Amino acid sequence: MGKEKNPRRVADNEALAKAKMLKTSPQKLNLVAELIRGKKVEKALADLTFSKKRVSDDVKKCLQSAIANAENNHGLDVDSLIVAEAWVGKNITLKRGRPRARGRFGKIMKPFAEITIKVRQIEATTAGEQA
């Protein structure tokens, strides 16, 4: 009589994490997401640790959350995880302004973004080929 269980949004060998309301533009966030796409998670964490971009700390937290989800919720092996996908989306934009000459109003847009990271466990045979 109860409701059916929700189906999983990802495959059995995948886990994901999402970070919302990151105070940066999606274009800048996508530059950091490009650093980690397709890499093994330990290499991606090292790249984010030594990146000079301000938003790389938030992306690193999201990646660590995806790794923890894979290990604790789905029972995946951390050593054989790769960053399968990392996509960026827009969030809200705060509209601010400043008075300009001749009674005009200068718009100041303060964008927010969000990132979703999906990690996938790869088989041991392909893990050697990836490295």
Side-chain angles (χ1 to χ4, degrees), residues 41-60:
V41 291
E42 54 268 5
K43 175 77 170 109
L45 283 172
D47 288 349
L48 290 172
T49 302
F50 296 107
S51 174
K52 292 185 178 181
K53 301 279 188 185
R54 178 187 57 83
V55 77
S56 64
D57 292 335
D58 295 324
V59 176
K60 182 180 173 186

Side-chain angles (χ1 to χ4, degrees), residues 6-30:
N6 281 337
R8 282 196 59 190
R9 291 175 176 86
V10 292
D12 289 336
N13 62 341
E14 294 177 343
L16 63 83
K18 194 170 197 176
K20 297 180 181 181
M21 296 294 291
L22 299 177
K23 181 61 188 95
T24 186
S25 69
Q27 185 176 7
K28 292 177 184 177
L29 185 59
N30 197 34

Side-chain angles (χ1 to χ4, degrees), residues 98-107:
R98 158 169 204 143
R100 305 302 292 168
R102 295 169 57 184
R104 295 192 181 149
F105 186 73
K107 276 187 180 179

Side-chain angles (χ1 to χ4, degrees), residues 1-129:
M1 192 72 193
K3 291 167 77 171
E4 289 187 20
K5 188 171 87 169
N6 281 337
R8 282 196 59 190
R9 291 175 176 86
V10 292
D12 289 336
N13 62 341
E14 294 177 343
L16 63 83
K18 194 170 197 176
K20 297 180 181 181
M21 296 294 291
L22 299 177
K23 181 61 188 95
T24 186
S25 69
Q27 185 176 7
K28 292 177 184 177
L29 185 59
N30 197 34
L31 292 174
V32 178
E34 283 178 10
L35 287 175
I36 63 171
R37 284 191 187 114
K39 292 186 179 178
K40 296 186 79 138
V41 291
E42 54 268 5
K43 175 77 170 109
L45 283 172
D47 288 349
L48 290 172
T49 302
F50 296 107
S51 174
K52 292 185 178 181
K53 301 279 188 185
R54 178 187 57 83
V55 77
S56 64
D57 292 335
D58 295 324
V59 176
K60 182 180 173 186
K61 280 185 191 177
C62 184
L63 179 58
Q64 288 172 334
S65 177
I67 294 167
N69 289 343
E71 182 180 16
N72 296 321
N73 300 347
H74 308 303
L76 303 179
D77 182 28
V78 175
D79 297 327
S80 62
L81 289 177
I82 63 165
V83 180
E85 298 174 29
W87 66 91
V88 174
K90 286 173 62 173
N91 210 311
I92 66 168
T93 301
L94 293 179
K95 280 99 175 169
R96 298 293 182 258
R98 158 169 204 143
R100 305 302 292 168
R102 295 169 57 184
R104 295 192 181 149
F105 186 73
K107 276 187 180 179
I108 297 175
M109 308 298 238
K110 298 189 174 197
F112 284 75
E114 57 187 47
I115 185 167
T116 306
I117 297 177
K118 185 187 287 188
V119 293
R120 180 179 299 141
Q121 181 177 354
I122 52 176
E123 294 81 29
T125 57
T126 58
E129 296 168 8

